[in-house]
CSV table of all heavy atoms in Angstrom, one decimal:
chain,number,residue,atom,x,y,z
L,1005,GLU,N,15.9,2.2,-6.5
L,1005,GLU,CA,15.7,3.5,-7.3
L,1005,GLU,C,15.3,3.3,-8.7
L,1005,GLU,O,14.5,3.9,-9.3
L,1005,GLU,CB,16.8,4.4,-7.1
L,1005,GLU,CG,16.7,5.8,-7.7
L,1005,GLU,CD,17.8,6.7,-7.3
L,1005,GLU,OE1,18.5,6.4,-6.4
L,1005,GLU,OE2,17.9,7.7,-8.0
L,1006,GLU,N,16.0,2.3,-9.4
L,1006,GLU,CA,15.8,2.0,-10.8
L,1006,GLU,C,14.5,1.5,-11.1
L,1006,GLU,O,14.0,1.5,-12.3
L,1006,GLU,CB,16.9,1.1,-11.3
L,1006,GLU,CG,17.0,-0.2,-10.7
L,1006,GLU,CD,18.1,-0.2,-9.5
L,1006,GLU,OE1,18.5,0.8,-9.0
L,1006,GLU,OE2,18.4,-1.3,-9.1
L,1007,VAL,N,13.7,0.9,-10.1
L,1007,VAL,CA,12.3,0.4,-10.5
L,1007,VAL,C,11.3,1.3,-9.9
L,1007,VAL,O,10.1,1.1,-10.1
L,1007,VAL,CB,12.2,-1.0,-9.8
L,1007,VAL,CG1,13.1,-2.0,-10.5
L,1007,VAL,CG2,12.3,-1.1,-8.4
L,1008,ALA,N,11.7,2.4,-9.3
L,1008,ALA,CA,10.7,3.4,-8.7
L,1008,ALA,C,10.2,4.3,-9.8
L,1008,ALA,O,10.3,5.6,-9.6
L,1008,ALA,CB,11.4,4.1,-7.5
L,1009,VAL,N,9.6,3.8,-10.8
L,1009,VAL,CA,9.0,4.6,-11.9
L,1009,VAL,C,7.7,5.1,-11.4
L,1009,VAL,O,7.2,4.6,-10.4
L,1009,VAL,CB,8.9,3.8,-13.2
L,1009,VAL,CG1,10.3,3.4,-13.8
L,1009,VAL,CG2,8.1,2.5,-13.0
L,1010,ASP,N,7.1,6.0,-12.1
L,1010,ASP,CA,5.9,6.6,-11.7
L,1010,ASP,C,4.8,5.6,-11.4
L,1010,ASP,O,4.0,5.7,-10.5
L,1010,ASP,CB,5.3,7.6,-12.8
L,1010,ASP,CG,6.1,8.9,-12.7
L,1010,ASP,OD1,6.9,9.1,-11.7
L,1010,ASP,OD2,6.1,9.7,-13.7
L,1011,SER,N,4.6,4.6,-12.3
L,1011,SER,CA,3.5,3.6,-12.1
L,1011,SER,C,3.7,2.8,-10.9
L,1011,SER,O,2.7,2.5,-10.2
L,1011,SER,CB,3.5,2.7,-13.4
L,1011,SER,OG,4.7,1.9,-13.5
L,1012,VAL,N,4.9,2.5,-10.5
L,1012,VAL,CA,5.2,1.8,-9.3
L,1012,VAL,C,4.9,2.7,-8.0
L,1012,VAL,O,4.2,2.3,-7.1
L,1012,VAL,CB,6.6,1.2,-9.2
L,1012,VAL,CG1,6.9,0.6,-7.9
L,1012,VAL,CG2,6.8,0.2,-10.4
L,1013,THR,N,5.5,3.9,-8.1
L,1013,THR,CA,5.2,4.7,-6.9
L,1013,THR,C,3.8,5.2,-6.8
L,1013,THR,O,3.3,5.2,-5.6
L,1013,THR,CB,6.1,6.0,-7.0
L,1013,THR,OG1,5.9,6.6,-8.2
L,1013,THR,CG2,7.7,5.6,-6.9
L,1014,ASN,N,3.1,5.3,-7.9
L,1014,ASN,CA,1.7,5.6,-7.8
L,1014,ASN,C,0.9,4.5,-7.2
L,1014,ASN,O,0.0,4.7,-6.4
L,1014,ASN,CB,1.1,6.0,-9.2
L,1014,ASN,CG,1.6,7.4,-9.7
L,1014,ASN,OD1,2.2,8.2,-8.9
L,1014,ASN,ND2,1.6,7.5,-11.0
L,1015,ALA,N,1.2,3.3,-7.6
L,1015,ALA,CA,0.5,2.1,-7.1
L,1015,ALA,C,0.8,2.0,-5.5
L,1015,ALA,O,-0.1,1.7,-4.7
L,1015,ALA,CB,1.0,0.8,-7.8
L,1016,LEU,N,2.1,2.2,-5.2
L,1016,LEU,CA,2.4,2.0,-3.8
L,1016,LEU,C,1.8,3.1,-2.9
L,1016,LEU,O,1.3,2.9,-1.8
L,1016,LEU,CB,3.9,2.1,-3.5
L,1016,LEU,CG,4.7,0.9,-4.1
L,1016,LEU,CD1,6.2,1.2,-4.0
L,1016,LEU,CD2,4.4,-0.4,-3.2
L,1017,ASN,N,1.7,4.3,-3.4
L,1017,ASN,CA,1.0,5.4,-2.8
L,1017,ASN,C,-0.4,5.1,-2.6
L,1017,ASN,O,-1.0,5.5,-1.6
L,1017,ASN,CB,1.3,6.8,-3.5
L,1017,ASN,CG,2.7,7.3,-3.3
L,1017,ASN,OD1,3.4,6.9,-2.3
L,1017,ASN,ND2,3.2,8.1,-4.2
L,1018,ALA,N,-1.1,4.6,-3.6
L,1018,ALA,CA,-2.5,4.3,-3.6
L,1018,ALA,C,-2.8,3.3,-2.5
L,1018,ALA,O,-3.8,3.4,-1.7
L,1018,ALA,CB,-3.0,3.8,-4.9
L,1019,VAL,N,-1.9,2.3,-2.4
L,1019,VAL,CA,-2.2,1.2,-1.3
L,1019,VAL,C,-1.9,1.8,0.0
L,1019,VAL,O,-2.6,1.6,1.0
L,1019,VAL,CB,-1.2,0.0,-1.6
L,1019,VAL,CG1,-1.3,-1.0,-0.4
L,1019,VAL,CG2,-1.7,-0.7,-2.9
L,1020,SER,N,-0.8,2.6,0.2
L,1020,SER,CA,-0.4,3.1,1.5
L,1020,SER,C,-1.5,4.1,2.0
L,1020,SER,O,-1.7,4.2,3.2
L,1020,SER,CB,0.9,3.9,1.4
L,1020,SER,OG,2.0,3.0,1.1
L,1021,GLU,N,-2.1,4.8,1.1
L,1021,GLU,CA,-3.2,5.7,1.5
L,1021,GLU,C,-4.4,5.1,2.2
L,1021,GLU,O,-5.0,5.6,3.0
L,1021,GLU,CB,-3.7,6.5,0.2
L,1021,GLU,CG,-4.5,7.7,0.4
L,1021,GLU,CD,-4.8,8.4,-0.9
L,1021,GLU,OE1,-3.8,8.7,-1.6
L,1021,GLU,OE2,-5.9,8.7,-1.1
L,1022,VAL,N,-4.7,3.8,1.8
L,1022,VAL,CA,-5.9,3.2,2.4
L,1022,VAL,C,-5.5,2.1,3.3
L,1022,VAL,O,-6.5,1.4,3.9
L,1022,VAL,CB,-6.8,2.6,1.2
L,1022,VAL,CG1,-7.4,3.7,0.4
L,1022,VAL,CG2,-6.0,1.6,0.3
L,1023,LEU,N,-4.2,1.8,3.6
L,1023,LEU,CA,-3.8,0.7,4.5
L,1023,LEU,C,-3.8,1.3,5.9
L,1023,LEU,O,-3.1,2.2,6.2
L,1023,LEU,CB,-2.4,0.2,4.1
L,1023,LEU,CG,-2.0,-1.1,4.5
L,1023,LEU,CD1,-3.0,-2.2,4.1
L,1023,LEU,CD2,-0.6,-1.4,4.0
L,1024,THR,N,-4.7,0.7,6.7
L,1024,THR,CA,-4.8,1.2,8.1
L,1024,THR,C,-4.6,0.0,9.1
L,1024,THR,O,-4.7,-1.1,8.6
L,1024,THR,CB,-6.2,1.8,8.4
L,1024,THR,OG1,-7.2,0.8,8.3
L,1024,THR,CG2,-6.5,3.0,7.5
L,1025,THR,N,-4.4,0.3,10.3
L,1025,THR,CA,-4.3,-0.8,11.4
L,1025,THR,C,-5.5,-1.6,11.3
L,1025,THR,O,-5.4,-2.9,11.3
L,1025,THR,CB,-4.0,-0.2,12.7
L,1025,THR,OG1,-2.8,0.6,12.7
L,1025,THR,CG2,-4.0,-1.2,13.8
L,1026,GLN,N,-6.7,-1.0,11.2
L,1026,GLN,CA,-7.9,-1.8,11.1
L,1026,GLN,C,-8.0,-2.7,10.0
L,1026,GLN,O,-8.4,-3.9,10.0
L,1026,GLN,CB,-9.1,-0.8,11.1
L,1026,GLN,CG,-10.5,-1.5,11.2
L,1026,GLN,CD,-11.6,-0.5,11.3
L,1026,GLN,OE1,-11.4,0.6,11.4
L,1026,GLN,NE2,-12.8,-1.1,11.2
L,1027,THR,N,-7.6,-2.2,8.7
L,1027,THR,CA,-7.7,-3.1,7.6
L,1027,THR,C,-6.7,-4.2,7.6
L,1027,THR,O,-7.0,-5.3,7.3
L,1027,THR,CB,-7.6,-2.3,6.3
L,1027,THR,OG1,-6.3,-1.6,6.3
L,1027,THR,CG2,-8.7,-1.3,6.1
L,1028,VAL,N,-5.5,-3.9,8.2
L,1028,VAL,CA,-4.4,-4.9,8.3
L,1028,VAL,C,-5.0,-6.0,9.3
L,1028,VAL,O,-4.8,-7.2,9.0
L,1028,VAL,CB,-3.2,-4.4,8.8
L,1028,VAL,CG1,-2.1,-5.5,9.1
L,1028,VAL,CG2,-2.6,-3.5,7.6
L,1029,THR,N,-5.5,-5.6,10.4
L,1029,THR,CA,-6.0,-6.5,11.4
L,1029,THR,C,-7.1,-7.4,10.8
L,1029,THR,O,-7.1,-8.6,11.0
L,1029,THR,CB,-6.6,-5.7,12.6
L,1029,THR,OG1,-5.6,-4.9,13.2
L,1029,THR,CG2,-7.1,-6.6,13.7
L,1030,GLU,N,-8.0,-6.9,10.0
L,1030,GLU,CA,-9.1,-7.6,9.4
L,1030,GLU,C,-8.5,-8.6,8.4
L,1030,GLU,O,-8.9,-9.8,8.3
L,1030,GLU,CB,-10.0,-6.7,8.7
L,1030,GLU,CG,-11.1,-7.4,7.8
L,1030,GLU,CD,-12.0,-8.3,8.6
L,1030,GLU,OE1,-12.1,-8.1,9.9
L,1030,GLU,OE2,-12.6,-9.2,8.0
L,1031,MET,N,-7.4,-8.2,7.6
L,1031,MET,CA,-6.9,-9.1,6.6
L,1031,MET,C,-6.1,-10.3,7.4
L,1031,MET,O,-6.2,-11.4,7.0
L,1031,MET,CB,-5.9,-8.4,5.7
L,1031,MET,CG,-6.6,-7.5,4.7
L,1031,MET,SD,-5.5,-6.8,3.5
L,1031,MET,CE,-4.7,-5.5,4.4
L,1032,ILE,N,-5.4,-9.9,8.5
L,1032,ILE,CA,-4.7,-11.0,9.2
L,1032,ILE,C,-5.7,-11.9,9.8
L,1032,ILE,O,-5.5,-13.2,9.8
L,1032,ILE,CB,-3.8,-10.4,10.3
L,1032,ILE,CG1,-2.7,-9.6,9.7
L,1032,ILE,CG2,-3.4,-11.4,11.3
L,1032,ILE,CD1,-1.9,-8.8,10.7
L,1033,ARG,N,-6.9,-11.4,10.4
L,1033,ARG,CA,-8.0,-12.3,10.8
L,1033,ARG,C,-8.5,-13.3,9.7
L,1033,ARG,O,-8.5,-14.5,10.0
L,1033,ARG,CB,-9.2,-11.5,11.4
L,1033,ARG,CG,-10.2,-12.5,12.0
L,1033,ARG,CD,-11.6,-11.8,12.1
L,1033,ARG,NE,-12.1,-11.2,10.9
L,1033,ARG,CZ,-12.8,-11.9,9.9
L,1033,ARG,NH1,-12.8,-13.2,10.1
L,1033,ARG,NH2,-13.3,-11.4,8.8
C-alpha cells in the first residue's frame, strides 16, 4: 500500500490494459 502511489498504479493499469493471453504467449515464444 505504501508504494501504490498514482504513478505506480497508473503504470500497472496501463500494462494490465494491454496484456492479453496472445501477447503473453508471443513474449514467452
Side-chain angles (χ1 to χ4, degrees):
E1005 189 173 339
E1006 59 268 14
V1007 297
V1009 296
D1010 285 344
S1011 60
V1012 172
T1013 56
N1014 289 342
L1016 289 172
N1017 287 336
V1019 172
S1020 294
E1021 193 174 309
V1022 295
L1023 200 58
T1024 65
T1025 299
Q1026 183 177 354
T1027 57
V1028 171
T1029 301
E1030 174 62 19
M1031 287 189 283
I1032 291 171
R1033 182 196 59 77

